[in-house]
Amino acid sequence: MDGLMAILAQGDHPTAMHQVTLLHYLIVSGIMFTLGLIGFVTRRNLIVMFLCTELMFQAAGLAAIAFGRFHLNHTGETFVIFVLTVAAAEAALALALVVLLFRRRETLDASAWAEMKG
Amino acid sequence: MVEVMANMVAKLALAAPPGSDGHAPADAGHGVASGVGHGVGHVAKVVFGEGGDLLMAVPVLTLGAMVACGLCAALGIRNKLPGWISVGALAGAFAAVLVTFLGWHGQTAIVHGFEWINFQWGGKPSQSLVANFAFYVDTLTLLWMLFVTGLGALIALYASEYMSHDVGLGYCRFFAAFNLFVFSMSCLVMADNLLLLYLGWEGVGLCSYLLIGYFYKKAPAVAAGKKAFIMNRIGDLGLALGVMLVFVKFHSVEYKDLIPLWQGYMELVAHGQWTDVPIEVRWAALLIMVGAFGKSAQVFFYVWLPDAMEGPTPVSALIHAATMVTAGVFLIARLFPLFASDHQLVALTVVAWSGALTAFWSGLIGMAIFDVKRVMGYSTISQLGFMFAGLGLLTPIGASFHTFTHAFFKATLFLGVGAVMHGFGGQLDLRRLSGVAWMKGFGLVGVAMLIGAVNLSGVPFTAGFFSKDMILAQAFALPGGTIAGSQALGWLLLLTAGMTAYYTFRTYFRVFAGPKEFTPGDDPELVDLGRHPKGTTLEAWHAQHGHGHGHGHGHGHDAHAGHGDGHGHGHGPARVDFDPATEDFDPHPPGMAMKGAIFACMALSVLAAGLYFVAPGGDPHTHGGWVAGMIGTSSAAFHAPHGGELFGQDPHAIMYFVSALVGLVGIFIAAYLHGPRGWQGLMVGIRDRADVAPRADALAAKLGGVATAARKKFSVDELYHAVIVLPLRVVAYIFAFLDNFLVDGLVNLVGFMPRGAGTLVRPSQSGVLHDYALRMLMGIGLVLAVALAAMGGGVGGLL
């Protein structure tokens, strides 16, 4: 674990990344993910919650690209391309669902749906 | 042990080859009688012959007729077709038996139907169970089959009219069960092994149940059917155990193995070598005896038979008087070599005393009750008691002869009572009927009842007189000590014979003789046959309303109204109870079919007396005429020791006079107490009305408690209820409680555990999306924390 920290923190990596290090990307990614998480848990509007999940998605994507760049391979980028495609499809589906749900209850409040209560 | 037995069987078979009977002269038996054996000399041996194939027609015809009746029901036939099919099939069956009988050679034949049960579990002959659908035909079988099929056909003819008020599904059901009964009875009688006999035995029990409960909407009929079935099952347990014991001990259930074996034992006993006879013959006989008691309503089992009178009268006549209830007599006669193999005759002594006591006891009840049909029921029990006494007193001839004559005259009596019941709206109370014989259309019934009554009472020169005498005389003819207390038993039976004459003629003098008087009964369907509004005649009323002969006015609507109305009797809409203020009732006389059957039974009862004069041939000690000849060539042949005396004379000679006197005294007392004024009451009666017989009523009042108790049938049913039914019911309630609370409780507990666990965890499912998200988050956080801690750094190490 200490080794990882050291690698993340090293400035004299023999690549073009001098001022902006992997750590910065990861921090941004972490902040984005946390924001998404907090938004998902606190907000009640279905569309906002959906946006928050998208935010978390993109945070993960950012981290993946950063690691890909760090390791000088294209795995992360390839992965993100697929993720984006899936996310687009998913957005279409999810928003359609939201529309349906809205039609049923005339509200976007997620707490209007509690049928699973035990 | 098994080898020893097998060896012994082989030894016996060698020691007593067929035709070796000559070496045991009758006198040798008498010598042994004073010692250890019971004095059997001269044991007959089974001789096997050929023939009898025609008898296979009996089960085929009866079973076929049953299927045909079922088809009629399926096709919705609403006429008398099932009745005619049955009469035809049963007449055919009788013809087959008659033809076989007329050409019979006196030997024993086995008629093979098909292989039924054949198990083998080893090479030895003892390691197999063989029971075929095959018939063991000898003269005993033929004697029984003659009256089973003959009376079956006649009573089917009678029933075709008697049941006509129920034409339709009920009619089909009745005749299907009727044919199944004759099929089962012929399996029972003709079986060549104990298993097929048992099948028939249960079959007749089933049919008895079905037919007693024929009027299944009447609660007493249903209860009576159940009672008969359950009481028979108790007896059948004994029979089943007996059959098992026979198989375990003698390694066969087939008569062709067993009867020669047992006859070998009889010979051993006759020669005083009774130590070579296994004691199991006594236990098997005692167990089988219990089965016979159940079916023939003896001793503790008798209570089902009076209740069985709830069934339609043809059923009472055929099943509960003439044939099925004599199955116990047949069983003991068929297995008589087994019963006689016991050197102390324990089982037969029990049979004799049980029969005599049952005869006396049910005779007592028969003297007191007012229901005519039940009087006949109790008299049947009583006469069966005579037959059992005859078997126990070592005269299978007397028992079989009495069974044979009783079948005809008791059927006559029942058919006559049925005609009265049919004609008077189900009226059976002898205080509500009088002078029936003088009413229009009932003359034949009156004559038939008189002939049945003189037979049952043992009036000289009737069939019943001769057959009962055989049994009574035998009680005194046996040397002392052969059957314990046979003399006392004889006096008890004589007393019962007098009582029989009394209660039979009590019924006759009350119902059939005297001034014409009646009150119709309350059976709605039968009342319909004779009711009409005041001011009209029955014929005019029926003609006006378009009802044919034999149909009451409720029935015409059957086709479109179906069953079930407010009264629960179920015929036609808006049925109105008979109202004496606005309606008249004309007795409905029996029609041609019923009259024909009554006449035939009556004629056969009279002709049966002639059988006594057909020479049996041979032994001068043998009485009993034709039946003696029949039994003499069957396996039930038995030469009882002869040594007792009555009033210093040969009992068989003097008994003619003694029993005639007893019977006539009984009739005279009946006339004195119940007879109508004038010649019809033999000039001693003083009765003027149906409901009052001054002397009898005064005597009953004087007797007080005894008469009341007898009228209540000595509360035996109530006693059984208190001693057997109630304790069993308490036990049943306890078991039901244990089952409901302990067993079901355990099962429910197992079911409750997952439910309880679910109840505990259920609140965590809030159904709110954010809750799930938060908990997921917490979960991930926990997993991460654990993972990081496991990697050793903790959260701090990451940063």
Side-chain angles (χ1 to χ4, degrees), chain A residues 1-2 5 37 40-41 43-44 49 110 113-114 116-118, chain B residues 762 765-767 769-770 772-774 777 788 791 797-799:
Chain A
M1 191 52 79
D2 292 335
M5 288 297 117
L37 202 60
F40 185 80
V41 174
R43 299 301 295 268
R44 305 227 146 182
M49 286 168 75
W113 300 90
M116 294 291 283
K117 182 166 165 47
Chain B
R762 196 180 304 142
Q765 298 288 322
S766 66
L769 199 53
H770 298 92
Y772 293 116
L774 205 59
L777 189 61
L788 288 175
M791 286 161 88
L798 186 67
L799 303 171

Side-chain angles (χ1 to χ4, degrees), chain A:
Chain A
M1 191 52 79
D2 292 335
L4 180 66
M5 288 297 117
I7 291 166
L8 289 175
Q10 70 186 341
D12 56 342
H13 200 265
T15 60
M17 196 182 266
H18 288 293
Q19 277 72 42
V20 183
T21 62
L22 176 62
L23 185 61
H24 296 106
Y25 283 104
L26 289 183
I27 287 170
V28 172
S29 163
I31 290 169
M32 274 169 71
F33 188 86
T34 311
L35 281 173
L37 202 60
I38 292 170
F40 185 80
V41 174
T42 56
R43 299 301 295 268
R44 305 227 146 182
N45 188 309
L46 280 171
I47 295 177
V48 175
M49 286 168 75
F50 177 66
L51 289 178
C52 290
T53 61
E54 287 298 313
L55 200 57
M56 287 189 277
F57 240 147
Q58 302 318 319
L62 186 59
I65 291 175
F67 279 118
R69 181 73 186 84
F70 179 72
H71 289 295
L72 286 178
N73 60 28
H74 301 289
T75 314
E77 290 155 27
T78 317
F79 196 66
V80 166
I81 297 289
F82 276 102
V83 166
L84 277 179
T85 320
V86 174
E90 182 213 309
L93 209 67
L95 285 171
L97 277 174
V98 168
V99 170
L100 280 176
L101 291 174
F102 178 78
R103 281 189 188 161
R104 288 253 172 123
R105 292 278 154 102
E106 291 291 324
T107 173
L108 284 172
D109 189 342
S111 57
W113 300 90
E115 259 87 54
M116 294 291 283
K117 182 166 165 47

Side-chain angles (χ1 to χ4, degrees), chain B residues 397-651:
Chain B
I397 294 171
S400 304
F401 192 16
H402 199 50
T403 307
F404 194 77
T405 57
H406 174 260
F408 291 106
F409 68 71
K410 189 50 72 63
T412 310
L413 286 168
F414 264 109
L415 296 187
V417 168
V420 172
M421 195 179 164
H422 198 247
F424 291 87
Q427 183 60 267
L428 284 171
D429 192 327
L430 56 80
R431 293 165 299 185
R432 308 265 179 277
L433 294 165
S434 175
V436 168
W438 306 110
M439 292 185 197
K440 195 183 150 206
F442 282 91
L444 176 69
V445 176
V447 174
M449 288 300 288
L450 183 62
I451 285 175
V454 293
N455 269 290
L456 181 54
S457 309
V459 169
F461 305 110
T462 60
F465 170 73
F466 292 123
S467 58
K468 201 188 285 184
D469 266 16
M470 296 268 317
I471 296 168
L472 292 172
Q474 181 76 7
F476 298 103
L478 281 179
T482 314
I483 293 290
S486 58
Q487 292 267 340
L489 213 147
W491 290 112
L492 183 63
L493 287 176
L494 260 179
L495 174 63
T496 310
M499 285 156 52
T500 309
Y502 166 74
Y503 67 68
T504 311
F505 268 89
R506 167 178 178 257
T507 305
Y508 189 81
F509 286 134
R510 290 297 287 259
V511 175
F512 294 93
K516 286 192 271 185
E517 196 182 329
F518 69 89
T519 318
D522 55 4
D523 186 310
E525 292 171 21
L526 293 177
V527 169
D528 281 346
L529 296 175
R531 67 196 284 193
H532 58 95
K534 273 199 193 321
T536 64
T537 65
L538 186 64
E539 288 76 22
W541 169 251
H542 274 179
Q544 182 192 341
H545 287 77
H547 302 300
H549 174 78
H551 288 266
H553 83 248
H555 309 295
H557 308 290
D558 245 32
H560 51 87
H563 292 259
D565 64 3
H567 291 269
H569 298 298
H571 278 294
R575 81 153 303 113
V576 181
D577 282 338
F578 177 72
D579 178 9
T582 59
E583 283 180 291
D584 276 338
F585 182 89
D586 287 358
H588 173 80
M592 284 314 292
M594 278 166 73
K595 275 185 176 162
I598 293 174
F599 181 80
C601 283
M602 177 179 92
L604 288 170
S605 307
V606 174
L607 291 177
L611 295 177
Y612 187 73
F613 299 102
V614 178
D619 194 341
H621 286 309
T622 308
H623 299 260
W626 177 75
V627 174
M630 292 290 276
I631 299 299
T633 54
S634 78
S635 66
F638 188 83
H639 293 258
H642 192 83
E645 286 187 340
L646 181 64
F647 305 131
Q649 304 280 332
D650 178 5

Side-chain angles (χ1 to χ4, degrees), chain B residues 36-69:
Chain B
V36 282
H38 52 63
V40 185
H42 185 82
V43 176
K45 285 272 171 260
V46 175
V47 182
F48 288 102
E50 296 291 318
D53 295 341
L54 197 56
L55 288 175
M56 269 299 158
V58 176
V60 171
L61 280 170
T62 47
L63 213 53
M66 187 196 85
V67 172
C69 291

